[in-house]
Amino acid sequence: MKPTLIALTTLLASAITTASGKGVALADIETLYAEASRVTNLGENRKNDIWLLLKNGQAYQNLSVSPADFDVDTTRQHEPDKWYSWRKTDDGYQIRKNGAWQKLQGRRVLPSKAGETLHGSYRHNASNTPYYAHITLYTTINFAPDGTFTDGSYTVSRSPVITIGNTMTLHPSSEIVDSNTGAGGRYRIDGYTIEMTRPDGKTRRERFFFWDEDKESFNIGDATWSAY
């Protein structure tokens, strides 16, 4: 019986991770570098290509998990095409591709400091325009400095799309608001990792980083959350 594409994808995803915290040590990381682009379809989503730059001069493209759980040896064996050499320049970093040095586009993102916590409400939004109806989903999480979090409300905004000639425009929006407050759990951030534990004991570990020094926005996995 041949493995399905879903099964192969699941196998690869599990193969690149180690036991929690047994991957790349923070001291061995030069930086995470984020090449961010906006995917627009009468709305916007942020797509991230995350580079892991190691202090030994090697770089891995499209890091999808926490570096602390990342299996370097396995990915070198099964994904050699994702590994490159890097060097630092006056204006950033370069990656060696196809025998030539190329500027690494994007920005250097920041890990959390030891014992650091979050404080406030943060929102993530994603947009799409399926079947001529613009939809935006806003989701919130409330973080407290004592290491707890609660799920906030989410808002779905739907706007009919009107086509006039070759131009698509949005009709004034109507909103549906659904509150989901109270659920939550405990969280801990450590370097480029966030660990979120629910009351039932289920724990999720994700790649984490701040976009800027002001720490008003950060990423959990592929989702960008911003203070509001």
Side-chain angles (χ1 to χ4, degrees):
M1 180 177 178
K2 293 183 178 180
T4 64
L5 179 59
I6 293 176
L8 287 172
T9 302
T10 302
L11 177 62
L12 182 58
S14 62
I16 67 171
T17 58
T18 64
S20 297
K22 300 298 184 181
V24 181
L26 186 61
D28 294 330
I29 299 174
E30 165 71 13
T31 191
L32 260 60
Y33 216 78
E35 184 177 352
S37 59
R38 296 195 178 277
V39 182
T40 303
N41 184 14
L42 290 181
E44 67 178 35
N45 292 315
R46 176 174 279 179
K47 180 181 179 180
N48 303 310
D49 188 3
I50 309 300
W51 287 82
L52 169 65
L53 275 59
L54 300 176
K55 288 185 177 179
N56 64 7
Q58 296 297 298
Y60 176 82
Q61 184 180 18
N62 200 18
L63 178 72
S64 60
V65 299
S66 162
D69 303 340
F70 180 61
D71 191 332
V72 171
D73 292 337
T74 299
T75 58
R76 286 190 188 280
Q77 180 181 354
H78 294 285
E79 302 176 309
D81 57 323
K82 289 189 174 184
W83 285 94
Y84 300 86
S85 297
W86 68 267
R87 69 181 183 185
K88 195 169 184 179
T89 62
D90 291 339
D91 60 349
Y93 295 88
Q94 292 181 338
I95 298 295
R96 188 167 181 79
K97 286 185 176 182
N98 302 319
W101 290 101
Q102 302 176 20
K103 181 177 175 57
L104 186 56
Q105 301 297 322
R107 68 170 77 178
R108 183 172 187 164
V109 293
L110 308 174
S112 64
K113 297 177 181 178
E116 189 167 8
T117 58
L118 303 170
H119 186 198
S121 297
Y122 297 83
R123 183 165 67 181
H124 165 67
N125 73 80
S127 301
N128 205 350
T129 312
Y131 305 108
Y132 301 99
H134 178 67
I135 299 174
T136 303
L137 172 65
Y138 300 94
T139 310
T140 65
I141 300 180
N142 307 304
F143 290 95
D146 65 356
T148 61
F149 72 93
T150 56
D151 299 318
S153 63
Y154 67 83
T155 303
V156 179
S157 174
R158 291 187 173 93
S159 305
V161 177
I162 308 299
T163 303
I164 302 176
N166 294 323
T167 304
M168 299 179 72
T169 59
L170 297 180
H171 189 271
S173 65
S174 60
E175 293 187 348
I176 300 175
V177 180
D178 189 337
S179 295
N180 181 26
T181 58
R186 299 197 63 83
Y187 75 93
R188 184 174 68 91
I189 52 176
D190 181 15
Y192 294 107
T193 306
I194 186 168
E195 189 174 275
M196 303 178 75
T197 303
R198 296 287 180 174
D200 61 4
K202 291 182 179 179
T203 297
R204 183 182 62 158
R205 286 170 62 89
E206 296 272 11
R207 186 193 63 212
F208 175 92
F209 59 79
F210 293 106
W211 280 98
D212 296 294
E213 291 283 356
D214 61 17
K215 301 185 177 180
E216 291 295 304
S217 62
F218 52 80
N219 259 45
I220 297 177
D222 289 326
T224 297
W225 298 82
S226 300
Y228 77 101

